[in-house]
């Protein structure tokens, strides 16, 4: 209530818990003729994630993609994000799921057309700050962010590979590390539960950009 009052400058009339993800507490707050979604997390480190999410959503909105407006991101008393409440039906309950998935593919293709300055999650930050860290190559992202070689070694040590499969995986990784791709924006969690559709089945919002990367 305190966060919503600070952002809306009105005392909320209704506050109710909404189904959140595995990490955030999510509430719908109604004040006057305004309705917002408030996402809260207890971990102070979450503020950086919320800011990255806001930046990715800003890039997408600049391309006229259906993304909710972020009204505020802050950390008093805990990291939080306030965004507009887009009224509609969650994609998991859409009448025409095949049509919804087709639209999701079209939107994802448009997201992947947004060029970025580097690879990895930090590249979303560097799109707004020239000196922010970023991975210069796809191979660097595989090793520094995804720890690909380290993961293969761990699986091998735990006996989760058949004989020779670890070597095959390393060969595949070496091939993948040599890929030359332009870094582009990725939503990171494009699925029906993160989609809102209107009564005509048109996607009106892509939610939850928490896993965004490049």
């Amino acid at each position: 209530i305190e966060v919503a009052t600070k952002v809306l400058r009105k005392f909320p009339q209704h506050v109710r818990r909404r189904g959140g993800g595995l990490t955030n507490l999510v509430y719908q707050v109604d004040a006057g003729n305004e309705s917002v979604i408030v996402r809260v997390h207890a971990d102070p480190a979450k503020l950086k994630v919320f800011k990255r999410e806001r930046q990715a959503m800003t890039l997408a909105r600049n391309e006229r993609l259906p993304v909710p407006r972020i009204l505020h991101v802050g950390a008093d008393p805990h990291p939080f994000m306030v965004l507009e409440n887009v009224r509609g039906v969650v994609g998991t309950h859409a009448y025409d799921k095949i049509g919804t998935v087709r639209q999701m593919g079209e939107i994802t293709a448009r997201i992947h057309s947004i060029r970025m300055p580097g690879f990895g999650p930090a590249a979303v930050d560097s799109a707004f700050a020239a000196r922010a860290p970023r991975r210069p190559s796809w191979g660097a992202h595989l090793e520094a962010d995804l720890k690909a070689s380290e993961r293969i070694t761990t699986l091998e040590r735990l006996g989760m590979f058949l004989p020779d499969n670890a070597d095959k995986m390393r060969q595949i990784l070496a091939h993948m590390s040599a890929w030359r791709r332009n870094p582009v924006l990725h939503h990171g969690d494009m699925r029906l539960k993160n989609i809102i559709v209107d009564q005509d089945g048109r996607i009106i919002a892509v939610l939850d950009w928490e896993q965004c990367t490049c």
Side-chain angles (χ1 to χ4, degrees), residues 111-177:
I111 294 172
H112 293 173
S113 71
I114 300 174
R115 294 285 296 271
M116 301 298 290
F119 294 89
V124 181
D125 301 325
S126 65
F128 286 78
R131 296 184 180 179
R134 71 193 76 170
R135 303 300 178 201
S137 69
W138 171 248
H141 167 56
L142 288 176
E143 293 298 345
D145 295 317
L146 300 184
K147 312 292 185 186
S149 294
E150 181 180 327
R151 290 170 187 262
I152 293 173
T153 299
T154 299
L155 292 171
E156 184 180 26
R157 186 180 70 250
L158 295 173
M160 298 181 70
F161 278 127
L162 293 172
D164 298 329
N165 277 3
D167 288 340
K168 291 178 182 177
M169 288 295 295
R170 291 189 177 96
Q171 291 172 13
I172 293 171
L173 177 60
H175 173 71
M176 292 174 61
S177 296

Side-chain angles (χ1 to χ4, degrees), residues 86-106:
V86 179
R87 299 184 184 276
V89 177
V90 178
T92 51
H93 295 90
Y95 177 77
D96 179 13
K97 286 189 174 63
I98 296 299
T100 301
V101 170
R102 185 178 295 110
Q103 291 181 68
M104 291 167 61
E106 294 170 352

Side-chain angles (χ1 to χ4, degrees), residues 6-204:
K6 185 184 301 183
V7 174
L8 298 176
R9 299 182 180 180
K10 302 174 186 175
F11 190 80
Q13 297 163 320
H14 301 98
V15 177
R16 68 184 181 92
R17 181 80 179 269
R18 294 280 295 266
L22 297 176
T23 57
N24 299 311
L25 296 175
V26 182
Y27 300 90
Q28 178 180 328
V29 179
D30 301 321
N33 59 354
E34 293 185 80
S35 181
V36 298
I37 299 297
V38 180
R39 301 166 65 204
V40 184
H41 198 285
D43 184 358
K46 192 70 171 187
L47 178 61
K48 183 177 181 180
V49 178
F50 281 156
K51 287 182 176 180
R52 178 178 299 140
E53 190 172 358
R54 176 179 61 185
Q55 291 170 178
M57 294 172 75
T58 298
L59 291 170
R61 279 185 61 85
N62 289 344
E63 297 298 321
R64 299 185 178 182
L65 288 163
V67 178
R69 289 184 302 115
I70 303 294
L71 304 178
H72 196 72
V73 170
D76 183 16
H78 301 294
F80 68 88
M81 172 185 286
V82 181
L83 61 158
E84 67 175 327
N85 181 21
V86 179
R87 299 184 184 276
V89 177
V90 178
T92 51
H93 295 90
Y95 177 77
D96 179 13
K97 286 189 174 63
I98 296 299
T100 301
V101 170
R102 185 178 295 110
Q103 291 181 68
M104 291 167 61
E106 294 170 352
I107 290 172
T108 300
R110 291 178 61 192
I111 294 172
H112 293 173
S113 71
I114 300 174
R115 294 285 296 271
M116 301 298 290
F119 294 89
V124 181
D125 301 325
S126 65
F128 286 78
R131 296 184 180 179
R134 71 193 76 170
R135 303 300 178 201
S137 69
W138 171 248
H141 167 56
L142 288 176
E143 293 298 345
D145 295 317
L146 300 184
K147 312 292 185 186
S149 294
E150 181 180 327
R151 290 170 187 262
I152 293 173
T153 299
T154 299
L155 292 171
E156 184 180 26
R157 186 180 70 250
L158 295 173
M160 298 181 70
F161 278 127
L162 293 172
D164 298 329
N165 277 3
D167 288 340
K168 291 178 182 177
M169 288 295 295
R170 291 189 177 96
Q171 291 172 13
I172 293 171
L173 177 60
H175 173 71
M176 292 174 61
S177 296
W179 286 355
R180 294 293 178 264
R181 299 286 191 274
N182 292 322
V184 297
L185 183 63
H186 286 255
H187 177 274
D189 195 15
M190 182 66 78
R191 47 180 167 157
L192 287 168
K193 84 173 189 67
N194 292 329
I195 298 297
I196 300 294
V197 301
D198 64 14
Q199 61 184 1
D200 297 320
R202 181 175 59 92
I203 293 178
I204 54 176

